[in-house]
Amino acid sequence: MKLLPVLDRVATAEKVRDYLNKDYPQHCMAVGKPVTYIQATAYDGMPKSPSFGNQAEEKIIDRLDEVWEVQRAIDYTRDAFKLVQSYNPEVGQLLYDSYIRHKSREHIAIEMGYSKRSVETQISNACCQFAGCLANVSNGEMDLRVWQK
């Protein structure tokens, strides 16, 4: 009998890959942030809106919840990335190179002096660390972890 749940590392890494390759760039595009915002140094977390005219304000209010959700997901992603980097800068750099800069595994392996297979394993482990950090900074709101049954 298992007292603690066991992380399905393969499924978790796949979920993180899908999120960082598809959802995160789409969120950034939706709110006009660059994908590299993940390493930005300052933000206030609030969507910006012009303060003129009632029609403009009504349109912004209609979309505010949607934009806020997307902005919050971007901020959680950034905070999780920063947490990974503070815990293990090498892992943070590996994630950044793989999913933000889209460097090939071969290129990363050459830079790090490892085999491509070793880099793949490290990236999977980094994805699992990121998933844990994301769940932590979002208080479980964004949980990409998959647990074994």
Side-chain angles (χ1 to χ4, degrees):
M1 182 169 98
K2 295 179 186 176
L3 295 176
L4 297 174
V6 177
L7 185 69
D8 184 335
R9 300 179 72 74
V10 173
T12 298
E14 188 59 36
K15 259 182 117 169
V16 170
R17 283 185 188 103
D18 285 346
Y19 174 74
L20 291 175
N21 282 328
K22 297 174 187 168
D23 296 338
Y24 175 70
Q26 288 177 351
H27 291 329
C28 288
M29 193 168 42
V31 295
K33 298 264 187 215
V35 176
T36 55
Y37 175 76
I38 205 165
Q39 282 198 330
T41 56
Y43 73 98
D44 63 5
M46 296 298 293
K48 302 292 185 237
S49 64
S51 58
F52 57 86
N54 287 340
Q55 273 188 335
E57 287 176 12
E58 288 173 14
K59 287 179 184 178
I60 290 170
I61 289 170
D62 290 341
R63 285 199 30 175
L64 189 59
D65 285 340
E66 181 181 319
V67 171
W68 178 243
E69 291 282 325
V70 171
Q71 182 64 47
R72 195 165 57 193
I74 291 169
D75 290 340
Y76 285 152
T77 302
R78 180 175 172 270
D79 292 345
F81 184 79
K82 289 178 86 173
L83 189 58
V84 167
Q85 277 190 317
S86 69
Y87 174 69
N88 190 337
E90 194 172 290
V91 169
Q93 188 63 45
L94 188 59
L95 284 173
Y96 186 77
D97 288 344
S98 297
Y99 298 108
I100 305 304
R101 295 183 64 199
H102 299 288
K103 284 186 179 179
S104 71
R105 303 300 191 250
E106 293 84 9
H107 186 81
I108 293 170
I110 291 168
E111 283 182 344
M112 294 179 74
Y114 296 126
S115 69
K116 183 181 172 193
R117 185 177 179 99
S118 178
V119 168
E120 286 292 342
T121 301
Q122 289 180 3
I123 289 172
S124 288
N125 291 337
C127 287
C128 292
Q129 286 181 21
F130 176 81
C133 290
L134 185 61
N136 185 19
V137 299
S138 70
N139 293 319
E141 208 173 301
M142 289 184 69
D143 194 351
L144 301 177
R145 297 173 296 181
V146 178
W147 302 101
Q148 291 180 357
K149 296 179 182 181

